[in-house]
Amino acid sequence: MKNSTWVMVIAAAALATSGCTGDDAPTPAPTTTSASPTASPTTPSASPSPSATVAPPPSAMADTDDAAIEFAKWYAVELSRAETIGDPSAIRAFATSDCGYCAKYAELVDEQRKAGMRLEKVASMVEGAELRPFDVAAKVVDVYIQDSETPLVRQDGSTAGTHPAQKITYRMQLIRGGGSWSVFGVTSL
């Protein structure tokens, strides 16, 4: 195996076990749980791109607390699904330009695809979610994920590494815009 491949596998494993916020590096293959909105000094504008190949379920589209929770759960699983198919378009489409975590996660998926690697299966399973109680326009949802141990495979089917089994909590900051929720911040707790 090339050194660059090992570096990517090691970097992905390091990201998976480290916490991040805002512009920090993302944790690969997250799963979702709900969280409540948190206060933010400024509210970024939502601008999901219409280029996503996957859309949130109808239960995640309304302007309600329950829909915000469903959206956050969907987005958390979408992170893992993107690593499985090598397509981060939904990650980008349903995040604002303010979400550094989202951008870095999408870049990780792009790098894995360019290196000919992907997760063998969706690693993330949502164990729960809750809305964080805040009186602001944004919603903050904590999503509780259980990742299963999942091989990182090359195009020829050989194993390049393993995504570890782990529990992750994602705190997602959501806003409404254009008839949908958008992620403007993610913290891995």
Side-chain angles (χ1 to χ4, degrees):
M1 175 184 291
K2 291 182 180 177
N3 285 339
S4 62
T5 301
W6 277 112
V7 169
M8 187 181 315
V9 171
I10 292 167
L15 288 173
T17 59
S18 67
C20 12
T21 61
D23 290 334
D24 293 343
T27 301
T31 324
T32 59
T33 307
S34 323
S36 312
T38 55
S40 175
T42 62
T43 302
S45 61
S47 57
S49 160
S51 65
T53 57
V54 175
S59 62
M61 298 304 290
D63 189 1
T64 65
D65 289 352
D66 287 343
I69 291 168
E70 290 304 310
F71 177 86
K73 290 174 11 179
W74 169 80
Y75 195 85
V77 172
E78 183 58 30
L79 294 170
S80 181
R81 190 188 77 78
E83 281 192 271
T84 303
I85 64 170
D87 180 6
S89 62
I91 294 172
R92 288 185 175 110
F94 291 95
T96 69
S97 59
D98 299 308
C99 187
Y101 183 95
C102 304
K104 288 179 181 179
Y105 203 100
E107 289 171 15
L108 171 71
V109 172
D110 285 336
E111 289 170 14
Q112 286 177 342
R113 184 187 67 248
K114 289 175 188 172
M117 295 185 293
R118 63 174 182 80
L119 286 180
E120 186 175 71
K121 64 178 181 163
V122 174
S124 300
M125 175 181 264
V126 176
E127 292 189 328
E130 66 180 316
L131 191 63
R132 307 299 301 171
F134 292 95
D135 186 23
V136 295
K139 302 284 183 190
V140 176
V141 178
D142 284 346
V143 179
Y144 308 104
I145 308 294
Q146 175 61 58
D147 276 358
S148 60
E149 184 174 293
T150 306
L152 181 65
V153 296
R154 295 183 192 94
Q155 288 177 340
D156 66 5
S158 63
T159 301
T162 302
H163 175 81
Q166 61 186 344
K167 288 188 179 279
I168 302 169
T169 298
Y170 286 108
R171 179 158 289 163
M172 295 192 180
Q173 298 174 343
L174 310 176
I175 58 170
R176 289 289 294 179
S180 177
W181 292 102
S182 293
V183 179
F184 73 89
V186 176
T187 303
S188 177
L189 305 176

